[in-house]
Amino acid sequence: MESESVTTPFGRRPMSLALLLKQRRGEAIAAGTTRSKWKLFRSVCEARAGLGVTDRALTVLDALLSFYPEDELSSEKGLVVFPSNAQLSLRARGMAAATLRRHLAVLVDAGLISRKDSPNGKRYVRRGRAGVIDEAYGFSLAPLLARASEIEAMAAGLAADRQMLRAMKERLTICRRDIAKLIAAAVEEAIPGEWERISSLFHALLERIPKAATPENLPPLLKELEMLRLAIINTLESHEKTQMVSTNESQFERHIQNSNPESLSESEPGLETAQEARLDDQPRSGLKDDDQGRRGDGGQGLRAVRTDAGRLKSFALGTVLKACPDIADYGPGGAIGSWRDLMTAAVTVRTMLRVGPPAYEEACAVMGPENAATVMACILQRGGCITSAGGYLRDLTRRAGRGEFALGPMLMALLRAKDPPIAEVS
């Protein structure tokens, strides 16, 4: 410790218990504690708000430290400085005597320095015969050194808070800009949404921005603004996805209408009737793939043959609707009267079963539009047995591309599942 004695103030300044406790706490310096006085002063400047001192008081502290002869503060070398008022005023940038006394009191109250008054209130030093200081009266820097670790930790914490606050202000500025421009873009492009209400909410949040932002009052407001921005972005992205899906489906429907019109069964009723009759004429047990070579119909039984273009030949529309009656509910007006109606219903079912447009377009390209629609009708009819309609369709498309898939067995299985069973034709 610097001293075991208690220094009472000179003159009319009263003694108090708080002053006594500050003196004792300020003198409790751990052995071997040293600090660079200017680094410690920088920490005091950074922790100024937490210490409750003003910039003018820091100017006085700077002047007092300049009177300490060493660069490092150490209790072993004494911590009392004793400048006169005139000298202290000069080093405090010419501060007036009354102002100087006021800020010295601020430093004492903040627990950064303490007074060590002489019997007559003057500041001076008494030296021994060897010139060594025996006793000094003035201002003790012991409280500053005793609180060095506390001040440094406080400075680090406040610096982190300032950095975090600066980052939050930057995020707030960017968020404000994003919301304003996104709302303006949505209104200008006439995107559906409650933009007037969202704009009002946005301005209400802006009015709540505090003039004196702190790490405590800014995060809740920033969170609300970021949630509003996310909601706007989700609305815009949802609109964009809807537009893309609508565009893809329109293009796909045009592709269906323009592709291979000669193969549509409504244009060839005779072929449709003949195919249906051939299907109904087969035994219930079905045919294996190698049975086709022994048939007199050229292998055009339950297993549809591939055309020269590599696509599967369509079965009769009546047969498809008989095997898959549920698809009729999704046709135009709740009925299906043509292949085009079936393909339109298939697009609706595709969306309902979460089959992606790429998967369905690939099936149309490999199997043909009629057969892809037939497969979708079969998938709908067997909906309870299929976990992923999209994955199932892709698998069938790959098998059809390798020549390993036929519509006949799938349709026959659905016909057999109906009650009563199909009657054999003699």
Side-chain angles (χ1 to χ4, degrees):
M1 284 189 181
E2 176 72 15
S3 174
E4 293 292 341
S5 63
V6 174
T7 302
T8 56
F10 173 80
R12 292 179 296 178
R13 293 193 303 273
M15 184 62 180
S16 65
L17 179 59
L19 182 60
L20 174 63
L21 294 176
K22 286 180 181 178
Q23 284 185 15
R24 305 304 292 174
R25 188 162 53 245
E27 292 174 351
I29 303 174
T33 301
T34 60
R35 287 294 189 282
S36 168
K37 63 180 180 181
W38 298 122
K39 289 184 179 179
L40 184 55
F41 176 70
R42 189 178 301 114
S43 297
V44 173
C45 293
E46 292 178 351
R48 186 186 73 180
L51 295 171
V53 294
T54 63
D55 54 347
R56 301 296 297 277
L58 291 178
T59 300
V60 176
L61 181 60
D62 182 21
L64 287 174
L65 288 172
S66 68
F67 286 102
Y68 189 77
E70 306 292 337
D71 287 335
E72 284 195 345
L73 298 176
S74 174
S75 60
E76 297 177 358
K77 300 178 182 179
L79 291 169
V80 176
V81 292
F82 38 89
S84 65
N85 285 341
Q87 292 174 323
L88 189 56
S89 178
L90 287 174
R91 296 198 186 183
R93 281 69 170 171
M95 189 178 293
T99 306
L100 192 65
R101 287 193 295 270
R102 186 168 65 253
H103 291 299
L104 284 168
V106 170
L107 292 173
V108 172
D109 292 340
L112 297 178
I113 64 172
S114 61
R115 299 178 188 270
K116 187 176 181 181
D117 290 343
S118 65
N120 61 2
K122 302 295 182 179
R123 300 176 204 132
Y124 60 87
V125 63
R126 181 179 298 113
R127 299 179 185 273
R129 292 183 178 180
V132 179
I133 297 177
D134 289 337
E135 194 68 48
Y137 298 99
F139 297 101
S140 174
L141 300 174
L144 182 62
L145 182 59
R147 298 182 61 189
S149 298
E150 174 193 349
I151 292 170
E152 290 164 350
M154 187 183 300
L158 291 174
D161 288 345
R162 284 194 296 269
Q163 184 177 5
M164 181 176 66
L165 185 60
R166 182 168 58 251
M168 285 193 294
K169 286 181 177 179
E170 291 173 353
R171 288 170 54 192
L172 181 65
T173 299
I174 294 174
C175 193
R176 290 176 58 181
R177 182 184 67 199
D178 291 348
I179 293 174
K181 293 196 173 185
L182 288 172
I183 292 176
V187 173
E188 182 177 353
E189 298 182 19
I191 295 176
E194 299 178 345
W195 301 116
E196 185 175 351
R197 182 185 65 81
I198 293 175
S199 181
S200 300
L201 176 60
F202 174 51
H203 286 95
L205 290 175
L206 294 183
E207 291 177 357
R208 289 171 47 195
I209 296 177
K211 293 182 179 180
T214 65
E216 289 75 28
N217 61 19
L218 199 57
L221 181 61
L222 177 59
K223 183 177 181 181
E224 290 187 53
L225 284 170
E226 289 180 336
M227 290 177 62
L228 178 61
R229 177 177 61 183
L230 180 60
I232 294 172
I233 292 174
N234 288 340
T235 300
L236 298 179
E237 289 182 346
S238 176
H239 174 75
E240 180 66 18
K241 290 179 181 178
T242 302
Q243 291 293 100
M244 291 177 63
V245 170
S246 300
T247 302
N248 290 338
E249 290 184 355
S250 298
Q251 293 175 349
F252 177 63
E253 289 177 3
R254 288 197 298 271
H255 170 72
I256 290 175
Q257 294 171 6
N258 295 331
S259 63
N260 199 14
E262 293 81 1
S263 67
L264 298 181
S265 295
E266 62 265 30
S267 63
E268 296 179 323
L271 174 62
E272 176 179 334
T273 304
Q275 289 176 330
E276 183 174 359
R278 281 196 299 271
L279 176 65
D280 292 340
D281 285 342
Q282 304 308 315
R284 293 187 186 182
S285 58
L287 296 174
K288 296 182 180 179
D289 291 349
D290 56 2
D291 290 338
Q292 297 177 39
R294 298 192 297 269
R295 290 179 49 85
D297 56 3
Q300 297 183 18
L302 291 177
R303 183 179 185 271
V305 296
R306 302 174 64 81
T307 66
D308 293 340
R311 295 181 180 178
L312 299 176
K313 189 173 181 179
S314 302
F315 278 88
L317 179 61
T319 303
V320 174
L321 296 179
K322 188 175 181 180
C324 309
D326 292 352
I327 192 70
D329 296 335
Y330 300 92
I336 293 177
S338 65
W339 279 104
R340 183 166 298 158
D341 291 346
L342 178 64
M343 289 185 284
T344 302
V347 172
T348 302
V349 170
R350 190 271 302 165
T351 303
M352 182 185 71
L353 296 180
R354 300 180 180 274
V355 176
Y360 191 50
E361 290 174 6
E362 183 182 2
C364 289
V366 174
M367 303 179 187
E370 313 96 298
N371 290 326
T374 300
V375 170
M376 286 306 306
C378 293
I379 292 175
L380 175 67
Q381 197 69 32
R382 297 180 57 197
C385 305
I386 299 173
T387 303
S388 172
Y392 186 61
L393 179 62
R394 285 188 182 276
D395 180 63
L396 294 181
T397 301
R398 285 192 293 268
R399 291 169 56 192
R402 297 193 301 264
E404 300 173 355
F405 170 66
L407 279 173
M410 179 181 286
L411 291 171
M412 194 58 170
L414 290 173
L415 287 169
R416 287 175 180 171
K418 296 177 64 64
D419 186 23
I422 302 174
E424 295 186 6
V425 179
S426 58

